[in-house]
Amino acid sequence: MSQQTTIRKLAELVNTPVEKLLEQLAEAGMKFSGPDQVVTSTEKMKLLGFLRRTHGKTEKPADETAAPKKITLNRRKVQEVTVAAGRSKTTVNVEVRQKRTYVKPNEADAPVVATTSHTETDPERAEILRKLEESKQRNLQEQQRLAEGDRRRAEELERKRKEEEAARAAAEAIARAEAEANAANAGEASGEERPARAGGHHVPKQVVRKDPPRVDDRNGAAAAANKHKTRGSHAMVSGIEDDDAASRFAGQLHLSAAERARRTTSRGKPKPRRQMEQSRGGGGGAHGFERPTAPVVREVAIGETITVADLAQKLALKGGDVVKAMFKMGVMATITQTIDHDTAALVTEELGHKAIRAESNDAESELLAHTEEHQGDKVSRPPVVTIMGHVDHGKTSLLDYIRRTKVATGEAGGITQHIGAYHVETPKGVISFLDTPGHAAFTAMRARGAKLTDIVVLVVAADDGVMPQTKEAIQHAKAAKVPLIVAVNKIDKSDADPMRVKNELLAEEVVAEDFGGDTQMVEISAKTGQGIDELLDAISLQAEVLELKAVQDGRASGVVIESSLDKGRGPVATVLVQQGTLKKGDYLVCGIQYGRVRALFDETGGQPASAGPSIPVQVLGLSGVPDAGDDFVVVEDERLAKDVAQQRDAKRRESRLVKQAGNRMEDILAQMGQGEGQQVLNLVIKADVQGSVEALKQSLVGLSNELIRINVITAGVGGITESDANAAVTAKATVIGFNVRADASARRIIEANGVDLRYFSIIYDVIDQVKQVASGLLGKEIREEIIGTAEVRDVFRSSKFGAVAGCMVVEGVVKRNKPIRVLRDSTVIFEGELESLRRFKENVEEVRNGTECGIGVKAYNDIKPGDQIECFERIEVARTL
């Protein structure tokens, strides 16, 4: 009994979908209602015969091996041949193609009649045979397709060869006709041309060779390559450089395209002697270069800066001509000097050319596109409030009451000398505060604070009224177009007069709401807390009116508020985030500095995971100390940040060189006229933060007059180093250390060369002393002389005195009734006085060098091992010029 096979099982055997198999059975004339019906062997053979007929086997249905009996195979082989080319050798790639045809013998044909007889009894064997036959037919069809493709490619190559030969024959005919015409005009030349054409040794190099190329013949190899291109042979030669052809092409640059093509096609013919003599003599024929009839006007692309040599190269002039033109314009410059864009444009126009600004797709453009790509939805953000006002009017005390901390006592002299940035949680929401200095020297810091802020709170003392820095703060707020809220402080005093303050503000065009204006004025007391809630309400109301919004998700950007150099942590920048969220690990570029955020710190010393809009944080991980006021932006990778920072640094350096070297003759003559009798005071300024450096530099330079000029040699952040001391020795300058100290190597240089080194902690003293010297006033000056230094070895806790430092006096003497300073990493962190000085539980008046002692610092408990306690005294010294 034969085995029954269903349509579903048959589909699995032949690896065909059931639906497709049902369609094929239907096309073969067999109707089945479902996949579970039984298929007989006769129906299978009928389906097999139908499939064979549909695949093109209608010639011999009984013979399964009806297939092409001839197969053509193409083979190719590539090899390298070294060709001698004069003194050098050239490697040529040679490709050989071969065609072979194989004929199938007749005895290989095998009938399938015997197999069909077995299908009645063994359907599975028949199915296997059918699959083998189909695979064999597919292979044969693939071979036929490849052979057909090779045949078509050969026909295409043959057609192209015939077309090229026809074009070549036409070109040769034209060239031959022209040569015969020239020979007819010059009979003597035509007589020389015939033997040249008949003989082989007179044929010039330009003749195309007809014989196969020799291995050691460079021109023969070139001809072989040309022959391959025109005739489509099986050997393809590539990579040969024809030096003669290149030289001939260079000599024909003055020709038109048609004339050059004509000469190229006819270069196989020898040139008559008369034509050769005329070409050598050049007797009045066309040539490649003509003198311009009008001056050539060039468009010169000039960037922000350019050297004189580069400008001369772009103008196609000698450097001396450009220097001479600049000298006639009154600008003295050397050929290696850098000039700015405006000067270069004037010189270019003076020389008769046109100057255009060079637009380059540099790293700044990439950064701009990078930041514009990531913009999100804006959400509400906390307001940024700057507290401004005159010195000692209670700005920091007001902020202390809001923060419930003590900050003013930690500042030297009780005045703020840095921009303090804080964000506080108030009952009215989160508010970020910036506390700016009030002293006249910190004008730039106040202006910067006004530009960063959304609301300015102007603190005016009710007993003091409007003062100079109060007026200046009003001008900064108006210039920045920032709304103003006036806080009338110290109303708890007996001589407070708030109405006087309002009347004085009228003169500055600040009109209170009581007088019909739009400026909110709140009477407060930072000491008792009176009116603080009303002030916060006024700030919240103003913030709602402004509708402050920022993009919270995305890359952060903002501004540097303050920066400093910490010996233990490196460059530290206090930044205010304005857009996006700043996270640990972000790459950022900040002015001319770049880096990766290693840590974030808030004003309490904590390490938040991120900082959103309007939140100030301290950032660690920059490559250097950025300038206060620089913008920062987070980028995708370190490469872009480094490129932008380096490019900005280069531009800033070029601008500085332009400022230093841009000397006009009028300026030089003016300096020579003022040089008689004018003295110069050179200064080296080092401070603890960038803001103090700016304030000191601006204030001291402003003291210059016609008799004395204050010249700041160098100014920077951090302790006084050996390089600073060397600069002071070279320029004979006075070194000013503001809340910083000199290290051991710098002290050795200063002492050995007698450099005037002065330490200060209050900006009043710096300005007053320099002002007295500059004004030529004689009198007493107060100097601070360090009399002793003690190093903290350990800290003990006492219920009576708090933290007691176990110290070793390492230099000088420590006296009980002298003021002290606490230094950590050569930076002043506290200034005050001693509360107790003991040795072996006994109170003593002084402790000398090399002696241990216990020191209790009054009102300071944050002393740590490794700190230094510096004992000093203020002495009056007669001033001498």
Side-chain angles (χ1 to χ4, degrees), residues 745-819:
S745 58
R747 282 201 303 269
R748 284 196 297 270
I749 296 175
I750 289 172
E751 292 172 0
N753 294 275
V755 177
D756 188 7
L757 171 62
R758 304 192 182 191
Y759 293 141
F760 297 95
S761 58
I762 302 175
I763 197 168
Y764 295 120
D765 298 339
V766 184
I767 297 173
D768 290 343
Q769 287 195 25
V770 176
K771 186 184 296 184
Q772 289 174 9
V773 174
S775 303
L777 297 179
L778 297 176
K780 300 288 186 180
E781 70 172 351
I782 299 176
R783 287 191 179 181
E784 295 178 355
E785 183 177 352
I786 301 173
I787 61 174
T789 303
E791 185 177 348
V792 179
R793 298 294 176 85
D794 202 352
V795 179
F796 307 95
R797 299 293 174 181
S798 171
S799 59
K800 183 177 180 181
F801 299 104
V804 177
C807 305
M808 169 69 75
V809 180
V810 295
E811 186 177 348
V813 59
V814 177
K815 296 184 178 181
R816 183 175 184 180
N817 54 354
K818 299 295 182 181

Side-chain angles (χ1 to χ4, degrees), residues 179-250:
E180 291 174 357
N182 293 332
N185 293 333
E188 183 181 356
S190 63
E192 295 176 359
E193 183 182 2
R194 279 190 294 272
R197 188 180 295 128
H201 58 279
H202 290 294
V203 178
K205 277 188 175 182
Q206 290 86 345
V207 175
V208 179
R209 300 176 61 96
K210 300 297 185 180
D211 52 340
R214 292 195 303 271
V215 176
D216 58 345
D217 188 359
R218 181 176 59 177
N219 293 326
N226 192 17
K227 182 178 179 181
H228 161 69
K229 293 179 181 177
T230 56
R231 294 191 176 186
S233 66
H234 296 295
M236 295 190 299
V237 183
S238 62
I240 301 177
E241 299 178 356
D242 193 345
D243 297 339
D244 296 336
S247 63
R248 286 196 301 272
F249 182 80

Side-chain angles (χ1 to χ4, degrees), residues 387-412:
I387 300 180
M388 304 176 73
H390 191 70
V391 62
D392 201 24
H393 274 204
K395 301 181 297 299
T396 308
S397 299
L398 168 62
L399 189 59
D400 287 345
Y401 189 88
I402 297 175
R403 295 176 57 233
R404 299 290 182 184
T405 58
K406 291 293 183 181
V407 175
T409 56
E411 296 282 354

Side-chain angles (χ1 to χ4, degrees), residues 320-333 347 665:
D321 296 339
V322 179
V323 172
K324 189 185 300 181
M326 294 177 64
F327 187 79
K328 291 179 181 179
M329 296 173 59
V331 179
M332 298 180 63
V347 175
M665 286 186 287

Side-chain angles (χ1 to χ4, degrees), residues 65 91 153 291 295 388 431 448 552 560 599 657 808 840:
T65 61
T91 301
R153 282 193 294 272
R291 185 173 183 177
M388 304 176 73
I431 301 176
R448 187 162 60 243
Q552 186 170 3
V560 179
L657 290 174
M808 169 69 75
F840 299 115

Side-chain angles (χ1 to χ4, degrees), residues 421-494:
Y422 321 95
H423 75 282
V424 295
E425 297 278 352
T426 67
K428 309 300 179 182
V430 179
I431 301 176
S432 295
F433 287 98
L434 301 181
D435 182 16
T436 62
H439 191 267
F442 296 94
T443 302
M445 296 176 72
R446 281 195 299 278
R448 187 162 60 243
K451 291 179 182 178
L452 299 177
T453 190
D454 302 315
I455 303 169
V456 171
V457 174
L458 181 63
V459 178
V460 185
D463 60 342
D464 207 3
V466 176
M467 300 298 286
Q469 274 68 60
T470 309
K471 299 177 182 179
E472 182 191 321
I474 294 173
Q475 297 302 322
H476 288 320
K478 288 182 177 180
K481 297 181 180 180
V482 177
L484 194 66
I485 299 175
V486 179
V488 183
N489 195 16
K490 302 183 181 180
I491 61 170
D492 56 327
K493 286 193 172 183
S494 59

